[in-house]
Amino acid sequence: MNSNLVEELRWRGMIHDIMPGTEEQLNKEMTTAYIGFDPTSDSLHIGSLVPIILLMHLYKSGHKPIALVGGATGMIGDPSGKSDERNLLTEDILNHNVAGIKRVLSRFLDFNSAEENAPILVNNYDWMKDFSFIDFARDVGKRITVNYMMAKDSVKNRIGGEGAAGMSFTEFTYQLIQGYDFYHLHKEHNCLLQMGGSDQWGNITTGTELVRRMNTEEAAKAYAMTCPLITKADGSKFGKTAGGNVWLDAAKTSVYKFYQFWLNTSDEDAEKYIKIFTFLPKETIDALIAEHTEAPHMRLLQKKLAEEVTILVHSKEDLDNAQKATNILFGKSTADDLKQLDEQTLLEVFEGVPQAEIVRADIEEGLDMIAALSAKTNFLSSNGDARRALKENSVSVNKTKVKEDYKITTDDLINDKFVTIQRGKKKNFLLIVK
């Protein structure tokens, strides 16, 4: 093997539980392992980045990763960590979601690779769709006792938890179906290991048990390993912003907002996340942390984290554009930089900045700067304040310094709709032309 995978994951803080014998198996030979992804949406958010990175580490270490999209299990809903029964998705929505998740996973793992340890993409609906209820009850249900299933936290918490509304038979069967996935992949692909988040430990160990009990002719090997669920130091939920989930799809979360999410990480979280979400070697990370500790105001950790994750999920070009957009408000950007921004990104950059609307007729003949700063917009409190700012040479239009005699015209429009005005280094305004 190229490296000790478990040792690598351990120093990165990516191991929560590991079944005895797992490390020895991974060190002994190329091992096939899988992680399941639930198609509850047509994309994945950054919470799913951890299992994706686990599969990437697995591949980089010379092992064979399988990414399973749960077309069948998605029809039921995983009760792990849930206090209520899920709404069931229609088949059309499910198929749409499965296709979206496959598209996202293909950006991180090359399923067309010719390597011996080339990643595989599977959908459990393919082997579950023809399984009759009677056959499943006889062949699978017979192997695991209700007592064993009831002992799992995902079941106990739902049945005995405070205010619990109980659990349907549908969700109760989830761990058996996930367990059967492991058995199927073990039989068809010699898959020996299932990985996932720590909330999946119960489902995963049911799978290892089922592999052993359904292989009556030989003592089958099956292993389990989980990673911690990512948390934030302040106790708030990881991967959530005021606008909702942070997605891996630029159509759902723009690259600018994605980059900003990592850039705004706290010092404590950045130190943890740079180990989990990047592939930087230990020496580099240790040196970065030491440098950051010496000058935390420089936010070196956050900048490097944001750069690495944005390139991983999007591209170097996307990172460059996000950095240009980030510099618009406070950096040394130019009018050309402004004009390269699309409308959505420009509005995101200027979110929370004072804005005013004017009609196009106002600028067709030229809008004087006093009106642009005060009379028409109330950006500044009075015409006198506007004159003072202009005399101090502290006013810019689209990042270019202007005098009192300057007039804003249609030539100044960005995306045929916006003009940016700045007073000094920190006061920004956005003029929207209707």
Side-chain angles (χ1 to χ4, degrees):
M1 290 300 96
N2 299 351
S3 64
N4 184 323
L5 174 65
V6 174
E7 204 174 274
E8 175 78 9
L9 296 177
R10 203 171 264 134
W11 80 258
R12 289 183 182 274
M14 293 180 76
I15 292 184
H16 189 273
D17 289 302
I18 183 165
M19 194 172 273
T22 305
E23 186 169 5
E24 291 78 0
Q25 169 60 37
L26 288 164
N27 288 340
K28 185 174 74 172
E29 61 189 354
M30 184 184 87
T31 302
T32 303
Y34 94 95
I35 294 178
F37 296 86
D38 228 353
T40 48
S41 172
D42 61 358
S43 181
L44 295 169
H45 50 74
I46 56 174
S48 302
L49 202 48
V50 183
I52 290 170
I53 286 171
L54 267 180
L55 288 177
M56 292 173 77
H57 275 297
L58 190 86
Y59 177 68
K60 285 171 184 281
S61 299
H63 301 289
K64 190 175 183 72
I66 298 179
L68 180 148
V69 183
T73 33
M75 289 183 165
I76 290 170
D78 182 3
S80 304
K82 309 285 185 302
S83 56
D84 298 305
E85 183 91 6
R86 270 194 193 168
N87 291 326
L88 297 180
L89 301 174
T90 67
E91 199 166 337
D92 284 348
I93 291 173
L94 209 55
N95 289 338
H96 171 76
N97 290 355
V98 166
I101 288 173
K102 284 180 175 179
R103 192 174 59 249
V104 173
L105 290 172
S106 299
R107 295 190 342 231
F108 300 94
L109 297 160
D110 180 7
F111 298 110
N112 299 314
S113 165
E115 300 277 341
E116 187 190 1
N117 67 325
I120 300 173
L121 181 64
V122 296
N123 179 354
N124 62 7
Y125 184 72
D126 293 340
W127 58 83
M128 292 304 300
K129 64 176 185 254
D130 298 324
F131 216 147
S132 78
F133 177 72
I134 290 172
D135 287 342
F136 188 80
R138 281 177 62 90
D139 297 345
V140 183
K142 185 77 176 161
R143 314 283 178 172
I144 302 284
T145 66
V146 169
N147 310 51
Y148 179 87
M149 292 170 74
M150 293 284 285
K152 299 293 183 184
D153 286 343
S154 59
V155 177
K156 278 197 297 193
N157 294 343
R158 280 287 292 277
I159 290 175
E162 194 176 322
M167 177 188 240
S168 69
F169 176 74
T170 303
E171 282 197 339
F172 185 59
T173 58
Y174 185 94
Q175 62 172 295
L176 272 187
I177 297 176
Q178 184 171 324
Y180 184 79
D181 287 343
F182 198 173
Y183 167 73
H184 176 86
L185 294 175
H186 182 277
K187 186 176 69 171
E188 298 297 324
H189 297 282
N190 192 31
C191 179
L192 302 183
L193 170 64
Q194 185 182 170
M195 303 185 294
S198 57
D199 60 334
Q200 290 295 310
W201 184 251
N203 290 335
I204 293 172
T205 50
T206 298
T208 61
E209 198 60 31
L210 204 54
V211 168
R212 291 191 189 97
R213 294 185 187 187
M214 289 187 75
N215 282 282
T216 47
E217 294 146 30
E218 53 173 312
K221 294 181 290 184
Y223 301 99
M225 181 165 72
T226 62
C227 58
L229 295 179
I230 307 301
T231 55
K232 286 172 80 172
D234 64 5
S236 60
K237 193 169 181 181
F238 170 76
K240 287 270 190 186
T241 66
N245 283 323
V246 178
W247 297 92
L248 303 181
D249 193 328
K252 287 177 175 281
T253 298
S254 70
V255 180
Y256 170 74
K257 280 200 168 176
F258 184 86
Y259 176 74
Q260 287 293 319
F261 172 82
W262 300 100
L263 202 59
N264 292 324
T265 305
S266 71
D267 287 353
E268 195 177 340
D269 286 334
E271 195 169 318
K272 181 168 75 169
Y273 295 168
I274 201 154
K275 295 173 186 173
I276 295 170
F277 292 102
T278 79
F279 292 90
L280 295 171
K282 190 173 190 302
E283 312 75 61
T284 305
I285 289 177
D286 287 345
L288 266 170
I289 291 171
E291 211 177 332
H292 178 86
T293 307
E294 289 294 312
H297 64 283
M298 298 291 289
R299 298 180 69 75
L300 293 172
L301 265 185
Q302 284 89 340
K303 285 174 184 171
K304 190 64 176 170
L305 172 67
E307 285 172 16
E308 292 288 321
V309 186
T310 303
I311 291 172
L312 173 68
V313 173
H314 297 288
S315 70
K316 175 69 171 70
E317 187 185 356
D318 287 329
L319 168 68
D320 292 343
N321 290 336
Q323 287 177 326
K324 275 182 193 168
T326 300
N327 287 330
I328 294 290
L329 289 186
F330 306 116
K332 292 179 179 174
S333 55
T334 64
D336 285 341
D337 293 333
L338 272 173
K339 282 174 179 168
Q340 284 171 28
L341 294 184
D342 59 86
E343 182 174 334
Q344 183 194 350
T345 306
L346 187 130
L347 287 171
E348 286 171 352
V349 170
F350 285 87
E351 197 174 353
V353 164
Q355 300 177 3
E357 290 184 3
I358 59 169
V359 294
R360 188 169 285 266
D362 288 334
I363 64 165
E364 280 173 347
E365 293 177 11
L367 180 68
D368 71 82
M369 287 311 300
I370 304 295
L373 286 166
S374 176
K376 283 276 186 187
T377 63
N378 294 319
F379 285 153
L380 300 185
S381 57
S382 67
N383 289 353
D385 195 9
R387 280 197 184 86
R388 272 191 299 279
L390 288 158
K391 280 195 171 72
E392 290 163 2
N393 198 30
S394 67
V395 176
S396 302
V397 170
N398 294 342
K399 292 289 177 178
T400 304
K401 286 275 171 79
V402 296
K403 301 283 188 187
E404 191 174 337
D405 60 356
Y406 189 82
K407 288 186 184 294
I408 295 174
T409 68
T410 51
D411 291 342
D412 293 304
L413 290 179
I414 298 163
N415 287 319
D416 199 37
K417 192 174 181 180
F418 306 103
V419 180
T420 72
I421 302 175
Q422 193 172 2
R423 182 192 181 173
K425 287 185 178 177
K426 295 191 174 176
K427 276 194 173 176
N428 288 279
F429 311 102
L430 184 64
L431 203 52
I432 303 171
V433 180
K434 292 288 188 182

